[in-house]
């Protein structure tokens, strides 16, 4: 099933919801929050901010087509075994655990997200998003963000395109992906010849260099300085389905982050507030009172973010530079972001 970018954009506008986060300043509009906070952040750099973002951002819609070469994954094997045990189609098991967001990237940006984690696969004819199953064309996702930027000229976004996959991936395929990104964003791209401390937020907006895109294939972009290397995003995640384990892991990450005497100016630190299904998670999903989907697992994880952030802020610490989450609209991530700026 293929949905054109025109349909996605119209769909986003038609069903646009007004999300009012329980933040004491009800004048904050999540679609233009950077613009509204410019009096406070205009002279800061990206390294000084904590930007909210979405993990597996493009996995809000998935087809029944499997992503390239999923065999050999213990989690995928668990999907197959459970489907066979229950006598139901494999898709009915995979999809609930593969969907990680509810809303399009355009809508996520309206909700306040400013970082987008996009996994890309070449399906033989075009580049698409994927998470176990193949999603929509990458062009549609990126064009949705471009439309957002056109309508919101004082917002800045970061896009990480990674986990590049294909059964027979060629350099020509990679070049096509690179050229697509360059063509869509063009002069709006903030080049890696700068650092994240070269221009202030206000200067980035005035020069209209408001998009940072990383592509995780160094060879493909080595002579294209408008794109950033994947290593510029410093990743971490607990790889656990346990809230307590994830909290402990992330506390160590935040502690280490705040102990760095001088943060690097050509990279950004990510903190993943995400629970990751394990083989046991999938197997146990048939039991009562166990999560049946990634959405239900994310609800458990998201429930702990507020208290964690309060404890970090009470120590006068900073969470990170990029805060990632699943099913962002079911969380209080924007409360946390606004609370951070209140504390500054």
């Amino acid at each position: 099933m293929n949905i054109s970018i025109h349909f996605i954009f119209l769909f986003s506008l038609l069903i646009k919801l007004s999300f009012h986060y329980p933040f004491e300043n009800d004048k904050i509009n999540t679609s233009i929050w950077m613009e509204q906070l410019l009096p406070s952040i205009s002279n800061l750099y990206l390294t000084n901010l904590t930007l909210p973002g979405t993990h597996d951002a493009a996995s809000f819609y998935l087809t029944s087509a499997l992503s390239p070469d999923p065999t050999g994954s213990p989690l995928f094997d668990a999907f197959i075994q459970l489907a066979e045990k229950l006598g139901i189609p494999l898709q009915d098991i995979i999809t609930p655990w593969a969907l990680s967001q509810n809303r399009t990237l355009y809508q996520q940006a309206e909700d306040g997200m400013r970082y987008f984690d996009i996994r890309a696969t070449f399906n033989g004819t075009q580049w698409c998003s994927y998470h176990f199953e193949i999603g929509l064309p990458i062009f549609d996702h990126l064009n949705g963000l471009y439309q957002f930027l056109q309508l919101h000229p004082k917002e800045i976004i970061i896009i990480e395109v990674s986990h590049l996959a294909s059964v027979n991936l060629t350099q020509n395929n990679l070049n096509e992906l690179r050229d697509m990104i360059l063509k869509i964003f063009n002069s709006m791209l903030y080049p890696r010849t700068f650092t994240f401390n070269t221009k202030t937020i206000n200067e980035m907006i005035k020069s209209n260099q408001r998009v940072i895109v990383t592509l995780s294939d160094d060879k493909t972009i080595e002579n294209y300085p408008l794109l950033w290397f994947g290593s510029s995003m410093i990743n971490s995640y607990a790889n656990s389905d346990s809230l307590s384990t994830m909290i402990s892991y992330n506390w160590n990450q935040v502690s280490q982050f705040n102990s760095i005497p001088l943060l690097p100016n050509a990279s950004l630190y990510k903190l993943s507030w995400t629970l990751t299904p394990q083989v046991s998670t999938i197997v146990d999903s048939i039991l009562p009172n166990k999560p049946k989907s990634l959405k239900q697992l994310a609800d458990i994880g998201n429930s702990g973010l507020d208290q964690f952030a309060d404890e970090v802020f009470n120590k006068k610490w900073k969470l990170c530079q990029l805060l990632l989450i699943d099913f962002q609209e079911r969380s209080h991530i924007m409360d946390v972001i606004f609370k951070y700026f209140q504390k500054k």
Side-chain angles (χ1 to χ4, degrees):
M1 180 178 180
N2 186 24
I3 300 178
S4 70
I5 182 60
H6 305 291
F7 177 80
I8 294 175
F9 185 61
L10 289 173
F11 178 77
S12 299
L13 292 178
L14 287 171
I15 68 168
K16 178 180 176 182
L17 301 176
S18 297
F19 284 96
H20 297 291
Y21 293 88
F23 178 64
E24 65 182 28
N25 186 352
D26 58 8
K27 294 182 180 179
I28 292 288
N29 180 340
T30 56
S31 66
I32 54 169
W33 69 266
M34 297 188 79
E35 176 182 354
Q36 289 186 302
L37 291 181
L38 273 178
S40 300
I41 68 173
S42 62
N43 294 322
L44 300 179
Y45 300 95
L46 281 176
T47 53
N48 302 129
L49 306 184
T50 296
L51 296 181
T54 42
H55 169 249
D56 268 308
S59 296
F60 58 87
Y61 172 86
L62 296 168
T63 69
S64 59
L66 295 176
S67 56
D69 197 23
T71 58
S73 163
L75 202 58
F76 186 77
D77 293 341
F79 289 143
I80 295 175
Q81 292 172 14
L82 188 57
E84 290 176 346
K85 182 175 182 178
L86 298 178
I88 61 177
L90 181 59
Q91 181 185 7
D92 291 353
I93 297 295
I94 293 180
T95 303
W97 290 102
L99 291 170
S100 57
Q101 306 295 335
N102 276 331
R103 292 166 61 75
T104 68
L105 271 65
Y106 182 95
Q107 292 173 319
Q108 291 174 31
E110 285 191 321
D111 294 345
M113 301 303 105
R114 295 296 176 265
Y115 163 90
F116 304 88
D117 162 35
I118 300 178
R119 317 295 173 94
T121 180
F122 188 74
N123 68 357
T125 57
Q126 63 181 334
W127 283 94
C128 296
S129 56
Y130 77 100
H131 189 208
F132 290 109
E133 297 170 321
I134 295 178
L136 299 174
I138 293 295
F139 176 85
D140 293 4
H141 296 305
L142 298 182
N143 199 45
L145 290 174
Y146 174 77
Q147 297 294 335
F148 172 82
L149 290 165
Q150 290 295 97
L151 293 172
H152 304 84
K154 295 186 179 180
E155 302 302 306
I156 295 169
I157 66 172
I158 298 173
I159 305 168
E160 184 173 9
V161 183
S162 66
H163 296 68
L164 309 180
S166 176
V167 174
N168 295 300
L169 189 61
T170 69
Q171 187 60 53
N172 284 339
N173 300 149
L174 292 165
N175 292 346
E176 289 172 11
L177 178 60
R178 175 199 66 208
D179 294 344
M180 180 200 307
I181 297 169
L182 293 171
K183 184 176 181 179
I184 290 173
F185 295 110
N186 201 355
S187 61
M188 297 179 74
L189 290 164
Y190 183 87
R192 70 173 186 269
T193 50
F194 296 157
T195 72
F196 295 127
N197 282 351
T198 300
K199 290 192 174 187
T200 64
I201 300 302
N202 193 49
E203 289 168 340
M204 290 179 69
I205 291 170
K206 283 188 173 181
S207 64
N208 201 31
Q209 293 173 305
R210 299 184 290 122
V211 188
I212 292 166
V213 180
T214 74
L215 185 62
S216 63
D217 190 89
D218 292 358
K219 179 182 177 182
T220 302
I221 66 169
E222 60 183 347
N223 297 319
Y224 294 82
L226 287 176
L227 300 178
W228 289 68
F229 297 122
S231 57
S232 60
M233 302 289 111
I234 300 178
N235 191 38
S236 69
Y237 80 111
N239 191 21
S240 174
D241 63 356
S242 162
L243 177 58
S244 61
T245 300
M246 189 256 285
I247 288 174
S248 177
Y249 175 88
N250 279 340
W251 187 262
N252 288 334
Q253 293 299 310
V254 171
S255 176
Q256 292 174 26
F257 172 70
N258 283 274
S259 68
I260 299 173
L262 185 63
L263 289 170
N265 58 21
S267 57
L268 296 174
Y269 283 80
K270 298 191 293 183
L271 187 73
S272 296
W273 195 264
T274 56
L275 292 180
T276 306
Q278 308 296 307
V279 170
S280 59
T281 321
I282 307 304
V283 174
D284 290 347
S285 66
I286 62 174
L287 300 176
N289 303 317
K290 293 291 185 178
K292 315 296 183 192
S293 66
L294 186 57
K295 181 184 292 185
Q296 292 182 8
L297 188 63
D299 284 345
I300 295 171
N302 294 349
S303 68
L305 178 59
D306 291 283
Q307 181 178 344
F308 181 88
D310 285 343
E311 292 175 4
V312 170
F313 296 151
N314 286 339
K315 291 181 72 69
K316 309 298 182 184
W317 283 358
K318 182 178 175 181
L319 273 170
C320 56
Q321 292 159 325
L322 301 170
L323 178 61
L324 283 62
I325 205 160
D326 289 326
F327 294 98
Q328 53 84 22
E329 81 290 348
R330 298 170 66 87
S331 76
H332 289 162
I333 188 171
M334 292 309 299
D335 293 339
V336 169
I337 297 302
F338 294 147
K339 191 178 296 184
Y340 166 71
F341 287 111
Q342 279 187 311
K343 297 286 186 181
K344 288 187 69 64

